[in-house]
Amino acid sequence: MTMSTFSIRGTFRGAIAALAFSTTMGLATAQAADAITAYTSYEEDEIAAFLARAKEDMPDLTVNVLRLSSGDLHARILAEASNPQHDVIWGWAVTSLIDPRIGELTEAYSPANIDRIAPQFRDPNGKWFATTGYMAAFCVNDEVLKAKNLTMPTSWADLVKPEYKGEVVMPNPASSGTGYLMIASILQMMGEEKGWQYLKDLDANIAQYIKSGSRPCNAASEGEFAIGASFALRAIKNIAEGYPITMVIPSEGAGNELEANALMAGSKNKDAAKRFLDWTISDNAVNEYYNWKEIVTATGGTMPERFKSAGLPEDISSVMWKMDFAWSAENRARVLEQWQKELER
């Protein structure tokens, strides 16, 4: 008999929630299960689905999970640097993971079947590998376009056209990871001088900067504005729910963030931790990722039809901007300070 427990505590609106998920053998004759602790920034529903799949393959492994937002998790890992309380990092932003201070706490490990992950999605030194991620996309309301006789935008360059004045909403990069990856990708694509000028030109057409990464898509879906700069999965979900929108992936390339995994050097349960990391690129894991993520880096698995019908290409790397994650991490504070000074309202 297998017994599972799943509990949630904390504040969701404060972006801090701790989850504990454990799977243990209920029979007295069963051997004691292996146990690990994973720190993650995956969403609560994603964690539950992924670990339900993991239980199918590893019923004897106990996985205790602490879930925090990327920034809060970064602070916690650094605070615990002298005495890490976890065995693995799981599904955490690469922009955070490449901090050299974090790198000192991790250990190189090449999971079984690591070749399923293309080199561009893993650390050259083997310190981390990314399995999932998310990317920028526009949610464009077809009915608003028709009513106002507007053309369908296809690029970031299109969004500065005078016809879209007051019709564009996008996330505030100071509060939204999606918003920051958009700003960072624009500055990387265009170079800083042209990039900042573009952002000022774009600002003339922006109706609102919204704190959430998903809300711009929802606002466009509901017809409040013509265009919501958001992320692809939100667009795919809203299309599936029947909203009259088209998902547009900017032709220059979509800014993106990868969610990566790593082994902690200080883990006291390395065999179990490595077993879990091996599982994260297994067939069962990859198939479940496709239910939740627009970016799945591992080969194999099947992209859901609703993703393809919404306009997501099966080869997602063909539309992803090749982000310089080190630049994004190193310049985050400076970029946000300049954006808040010159553009926030």
Side-chain angles (χ1 to χ4, degrees):
M1 175 178 167
T2 301
M3 177 179 67
S4 299
T5 62
F6 183 73
S7 64
I8 303 174
R9 63 186 184 276
T11 58
F12 293 95
R13 297 192 65 161
I16 300 178
L19 285 82
F21 184 104
S22 63
T23 305
T24 57
M25 299 300 293
L27 298 176
T29 56
Q31 292 183 342
D34 286 332
I36 63 168
T37 296
Y39 282 5
T40 185
S41 288
Y42 277 137
E43 297 297 329
E44 292 85 359
D45 50 0
E46 295 171 352
I47 295 168
F50 297 160
L51 288 184
R53 283 282 194 144
K55 183 177 66 174
E56 296 174 9
D57 295 336
M58 303 176 294
D60 60 330
L61 180 66
T62 299
V63 182
N64 299 301
V65 176
L66 175 72
R67 190 271 169 190
L68 295 171
S69 67
S70 292
D72 290 324
L73 191 55
H74 190 270
R76 185 182 182 104
I77 292 174
L78 291 179
E80 295 177 350
S82 62
N83 185 27
Q85 298 298 300
H86 58 301
D87 302 286
V88 298
I89 290 170
W90 179 40
W92 193 35
V94 167
T95 305
S96 297
L97 188 51
I98 60 176
D99 182 331
R101 297 171 296 175
I102 303 294
E104 291 177 357
L105 303 175
T106 60
E107 178 178 310
Y109 176 62
S110 294
N113 299 314
I114 189 61
D115 289 342
R116 295 185 71 173
I117 308 292
Q120 72 194 83
F121 301 124
R122 45 189 162 110
D123 176 46
N125 297 315
K127 287 291 193 86
W128 56 264
F129 60 96
T131 49
T132 58
Y134 54 95
M135 65 183 184
F138 307 152
C139 298
V140 185
N141 190 296
D142 303 323
E143 294 178 351
V144 173
L145 288 191
K146 183 177 180 180
K148 297 187 176 183
N149 196 30
L150 301 174
T151 57
M152 180 68 68
T154 62
S155 63
W156 282 110
D158 283 347
L159 295 194
V160 299
K161 292 179 178 179
E163 65 183 288
Y164 300 122
K165 186 174 180 62
E167 292 294 343
V168 183
V169 286
M170 68 181 294
N172 183 321
S175 59
S176 165
T178 302
Y180 179 66
L181 70 83
M182 290 177 183
I183 300 300
S185 66
I186 287 168
L187 295 176
Q188 291 177 26
M189 290 171 188
M190 302 180 184
E192 289 210 44
E193 183 177 352
K194 291 182 179 179
W196 281 113
Q197 184 57 56
Y198 169 83
L199 291 172
K200 292 174 183 176
D201 294 341
L202 178 62
D203 181 67
N205 283 353
I206 297 291
Q208 295 178 23
Y209 294 106
I210 303 176
K211 290 185 177 181
S212 163
S214 60
R215 177 58 187 158
C217 185
N218 292 339
S221 298
E222 294 161 5
E224 297 176 34
F225 305 96
I227 303 164
S230 185
F231 56 93
L233 190 62
R234 183 72 268 166
I236 291 166
K237 287 182 176 179
N238 286 12
I239 290 170
E241 291 172 10
Y243 287 98
I245 63 169
T246 294
M247 179 176 71
V248 174
I249 299 172
S251 60
E252 297 94 341
N256 56 87
E257 179 65 272
L258 299 176
E259 297 161 320
N261 311 326
L263 175 67
M264 296 302 294
S267 169
K268 299 178 178 62
N269 307 289
K270 284 188 180 176
D271 287 344
K274 290 177 180 178
R275 185 181 173 203
F276 177 75
L277 291 172
D278 288 351
W279 177 85
T280 64
I281 49 177
S282 67
D283 288 341
N284 226 1
V286 171
N287 284 326
E288 189 61 35
Y289 296 150
Y290 270 115
N291 290 326
W292 299 90
K293 297 293 183 180
E294 63 259 45
I295 295 176
V296 178
T297 65
T299 57
T302 303
M303 181 182 287
E305 188 58 42
R306 68 184 185 278
F307 285 35
K308 292 183 281 187
S309 63
L312 193 69
E314 289 195 63
D315 179 11
I316 49 89
S317 65
S318 67
V319 296
M320 293 168 60
W321 176 257
K322 189 175 181 180
M323 298 290 291
D324 184 339
F325 292 110
W327 186 95
S328 296
E330 292 166 5
N331 293 281
R332 181 184 180 90
R334 177 181 63 82
V335 167
L336 292 179
E337 181 180 2
Q338 184 170 344
W339 187 88
Q340 289 176 305
K341 180 181 179 180
E342 299 180 2
L343 297 170
E344 188 172 42
R345 49 187 162 87

